[in-house]
Structures are given as C-alpha cells and as structure tokens.
Amino acid sequence: MDVVAGKWKSLILWELHHHGTRRFAELRRGLPGVSEKMLIQHLREMKEDGLVHREVHREVPPKVEYSLTEHGVSLNTALTSLGKWGAERMRRIGAEKVVITDSGDK
C-alpha cells in the first residue's frame, strides 16, 4: 500500500496509463489541483519504486518525459477493480456526497 499512498499516485498512474508518455507540464495539466512540489515528490517516489520511468532528452531546452514501467502497468491493472468499486460507491451514495480533502480522506 505504501507505493500508492497519497492522493495523487493512483491518479498519476491513471494519467500515464491512459495518455502514454507525458512531459511534466502535461501531467500537471491532466491533474488539476496538484501542486508542482507534490507532483515532483510523487514522481520521484514512483521512480524509486520502479513504477515510473523518467527519460531525459539532452537538448535545449531539456526535455523530460515520464512513462509507466511494466511494474507500473501491472499495478494499474491490479487497481482496476478498486477503481470499479469506487465508481460503484459514488453511484450508490451519490457523487455529490463524496468529499476529497488535501489528505486524500473521503
């Protein structure tokens, strides 16, 4: 559970899974509400955990791209059932009742 702890990690996994390789700014635009600091921190942790690959292209200006590793893809696959459960819960109780705080509590 430590590898997906935090509000943004599962959303980063989803973003990279559904949109493929993304640059930092593209990821940030795809995750409204995430701070630059938090996104950098989570990407760094996810890279250390082997979920995300970071590729630096040596050009001016420098270009950095993020993508899922095989390990990241397999984790995303494992989380699919949890996502379906969450969507069903939202449907059952009404999405307007689900409140997400900065700490990720619902």
Side-chain angles (χ1 to χ4, degrees):
M1 293 308 292
D2 197 34
V3 251
V4 290
K7 176 179 177 179
W8 298 104
K9 287 184 180 179
S10 60
L11 297 173
I12 292 168
L13 282 171
W14 184 89
E15 183 76 12
L16 290 173
H17 180 78
H18 288 287
H19 297 287
T21 301
R22 306 286 271 178
R23 293 182 70 177
F24 183 84
E26 293 172 319
L27 272 172
R28 188 151 183 225
R29 278 193 300 273
L31 301 167
V34 68
S35 69
E36 186 172 324
K37 178 184 174 186
M38 189 57 63
L39 184 55
I40 289 169
Q41 178 183 332
H42 282 325
L43 286 169
R44 197 172 284 146
E45 290 171 3
M46 293 170 79
K47 182 180 181 293
E48 289 172 10
D49 289 330
L51 302 174
V52 170
H53 172 72
R54 180 180 188 262
E55 177 142 3
V56 180
H57 299 275
R58 304 286 179 205
E59 54 188 61
V60 177
K63 179 179 172 183
V64 179
E65 295 179 322
Y66 296 91
S67 59
L68 290 180
T69 62
E70 268 187 55
H71 192 55
V73 170
S74 69
L75 175 58
N76 209 33
T77 301
L79 291 174
T80 299
S81 295
L82 184 59
K84 288 177 184 176
W85 180 88
E88 174 58 27
R89 178 179 182 268
M90 287 172 60
R91 186 202 60 73
R92 185 173 38 86
I93 68 170
E96 69 279 355
K97 293 181 184 176
V98 177
V99 177
I100 300 175
T101 65
D102 286 340
S103 65
D105 298 331
K106 295 179 179 94

